Amino acid sequence: MTIPKHVNSKRKATKAIHGGKLLCADFGQVSVPIFQSSTFAFPTAEDGAARFAGEQAGYIYTRLGNPTVNALEQSIADQESGYKGLATGSGMAAITTVYAAFLEAGAHIVSTDCVYGPSRGALETIFARFGVESSFVDTSDLQNIEQAIRPNTKLVFIETPANPTMKITDIAGAAAIAQKHGIPLAVDNTFASPYLQRPIEKGADIVVHSLTKYINGHSDIVGGMIITKNAELYRKIKPVLNHLGGTMDPHQAWLVLRGVQTLSLRMEKSQENAAKLAEFLRHHPKVTWVNYPGFTDHPQYKIAKCQMDGFGAMIAIGVVNGLEGGKTVMNNVQVFTLAVSLGGVESLIEHPASMTHASVPRKHREEAGLYDELVRISVGCEDYEDLRDDLDQALNKI
Ligand SMILES: *Cc1c(COP(=O)(O)O)cnc(C)c1O
């Protein structure tokens, strides 16, 4: 029997390929097996008691821990320079579990105003019923965070780059403010992935992910992850996840372990495509503006350059003729797929004003930067020329 060697590298591509694998390397296999078992036998009653008491290592029940899921948790935690990970059934399960771990009746949270819609909705419609107060501010200006903090603030939650406006928040600056007030800082790192940004290295306490996006990368599963900086935070969140039950299935974990191995290849290719496409779109007569953090005139370009290893592959553009212009592009693309979500190998395109945010009143939409003419593009790994020509012909139909 050959047990693979432990690969201990600080480099990103190596980590993405080897992370967590050794946890399950019983037979020398190079792929982590799927431990499709809901429960695990105890050798004796005493062993069972010791496992429940936390005095003996060993699995009990898959909601509390599973070898395949643990391999994924270790892989992502290593890539994020964190202590440990907690895999969840979706990105929203990760986010709401973090909320539930830190917020109670009378507590307050400060969050980014243009945060992912359901991250805001969960606070306004569910946590509000339990007496949680929330403030949504433009966190790209750090002063707004400082001013929003109250004596009862228990969590600062930022998303950067933010969805879909591509606003950037200074993670180290936000961490310094949160730390000064003794409040944990959680960062939604979905848009960047650990390949481009590792918030814990910049002072964040908790990172959350929708694995559905870049980390899995193939638009075939929904999943999430919570990564903590230290053991104390891990111990605070784990029982909340176990009780609320938003945990991950072993088969889902295996698919993500498979997807994440090509994270570096996918990110490099999609970033390269995005940089070229952003430049092309900027000069297109049917495009009024382009939000892409890699442009030197993006309002937070300097912060993005400093805290990210690359500018990512998400672009927001404004098209002429507002709502109708956006719809025309949606109905004429052929290589791009008209769909929400992002971060897959295939390029996706979406029009928030007529789709994801259609139910939000225009005034509120515009306050969050979601104008009628905004079209969001998730650039994938196809050949650049095909993406360029496709957008060009669709835009010219306006
Ligand atoms: C998609 C997304 C989520 C939610 O993740 P699900 O896996 O769909 O539950 C949270 N945050 C961001 C930034 C996202 O893009």
Side-chain angles (χ1 to χ4, degrees):
M1 189 189 340
T2 314
I3 305 286
K5 287 194 297 273
H6 181 55
V7 179
N8 191 7
S9 170
K10 297 220 176 309
R11 297 188 184 86
K12 297 184 290 185
T14 309
K15 274 193 194 178
I17 292 169
H18 292 280
K21 280 188 177 171
L22 206 67
L23 279 182
C24 311
D26 299 350
F27 296 97
Q29 73 278 5
V30 292
S31 165
V32 175
I34 309 173
F35 285 89
Q36 198 73 51
S37 185
S38 61
T39 193
F40 297 84
F42 307 132
T44 65
E46 290 73 21
D47 287 299
R51 285 186 198 180
F52 268 106
E55 290 156 5
Q56 186 189 97
Y59 291 97
I60 299 173
Y61 183 65
T62 280
R63 177 160 46 73
L64 310 177
N66 173 285
T68 314
V69 177
N70 283 168
L72 176 65
E73 290 171 337
Q74 185 176 325
S75 168
I76 308 298
D78 283 353
Q79 294 181 58
E80 283 285 0
S81 301
Y83 167 69
K84 276 187 184 177
L86 289 161
T88 56
S90 69
M92 283 317 301
I95 291 164
T96 54
T97 298
V98 169
Y99 291 166
F102 292 94
L103 303 171
E104 71 274 337
H108 172 249
I109 175 174
V110 176
S111 175
T112 302
D113 54 357
C114 51
V115 75
Y116 182 71
S119 304
R120 180 169 181 156
L123 289 169
E124 288 179 330
T125 64
I126 302 166
F127 284 82
R129 285 201 279 115
F130 297 98
V132 172
E133 301 163 11
S134 40
S135 300
F136 300 94
V137 299
D138 178 355
T139 55
S140 68
D141 180 349
L142 292 177
Q143 276 192 354
N144 292 331
I145 302 181
E146 180 77 60
Q147 281 164 9
I149 289 177
R150 303 177 191 165
N152 58 338
T153 305
K154 294 289 168 67
L155 185 66
V156 177
F157 186 95
I158 62 172
E159 183 182 313
T160 181
N163 180 19
T165 53
M166 303 312 295
K167 246 189 229 171
I168 308 277
T169 298
D170 175 352
I171 299 170
I177 294 170
Q179 200 172 27
K180 190 175 81 186
H181 293 272
I183 306 165
L185 172 71
V187 180
D188 185 333
N189 198 27
T190 300
F191 266 42
S193 90
Y195 189 72
L196 298 183
Q197 176 171 279
R198 290 162 302 284
I200 290 173
E201 291 176 3
K202 301 281 177 219
D205 300 288
I206 299 153
V207 170
V208 293
H209 272 290
S210 168
L211 302 176
T212 315
K213 317 294 168 55
Y214 289 103
I215 290 183
N216 181 60
H218 294 77
S219 306
D220 49 12
I221 64 103
V222 169
M225 185 71 71
I226 304 162
I227 303 101
T228 68
K229 178 179 77 174
N230 58 32
E232 191 190 338
L233 290 164
Y234 177 82
R235 283 197 296 267
K236 191 170 166 79
I237 301 170
K238 183 165 169 49
V240 178
L241 176 62
N242 291 153
H243 281 127
L244 292 180
T247 49
M248 184 180 269
D249 177 80
H251 191 261
Q252 197 182 358
W254 182 83
L255 281 166
V256 184
L257 275 165
R258 177 181 163 134
V260 75
Q261 295 178 78
T262 53
L263 180 65
S264 67
L265 302 170
R266 290 185 280 105
M267 290 311 293
E268 290 294 349
K269 178 67 181 170
S270 50
Q271 277 205 111
E272 183 194 317
N273 279 344
K276 288 188 201 162
L277 214 49
E279 194 55 43
F280 169 75
L281 291 168
R282 179 174 230 185
H283 301 292
H284 200 283
K286 299 292 169 79
V287 173
T288 47
W289 50 263
V290 178
N291 275 1
Y292 167 67
F295 284 151
T296 52
D297 57 0
H298 180 283
Q300 294 96 36
Y301 170 77
K302 284 209 178 97
I303 301 164
K305 192 158 172 55
C306 165
Q307 72 186 16
M308 300 176 77
D309 295 345
F311 300 107
M314 294 300 298
I315 305 172
I317 61 172
V319 297
V320 296
N321 208 14
L323 202 60
E324 285 310 311
K327 285 191 200 163
T328 303
V329 175
M330 297 302 115
N331 285 332
N332 285 285
V333 285
Q334 278 158 7
V335 179
F336 278 82
T337 302
L338 171 54
V340 295
S341 196
L342 59 115
V345 287
E346 66 288 291
S347 295
L348 303 178
I349 194 161
E350 197 249 318
H351 184 218
S354 70
M355 296 170 191
T356 42
H357 294 72
S359 62
V360 181
R362 174 175 289 154
K363 183 172 169 292
H364 290 184
R365 269 206 324 255
E366 294 194 344
E367 276 165 11
L370 294 164
Y371 303 106
D372 278 356
E373 73 268 26
L374 188 150
V375 167
R376 189 185 80 170
I377 301 168
S378 168
V379 184
C381 300
E382 298 93 338
D383 290 298
Y384 166 69
E385 292 75 11
D386 291 327
L387 300 178
R388 177 199 61 198
D389 295 349
D390 190 38
L391 280 185
D392 188 34
Q393 63 79 22
L395 284 163
N396 287 332
K397 297 266 169 35
I398 301 178

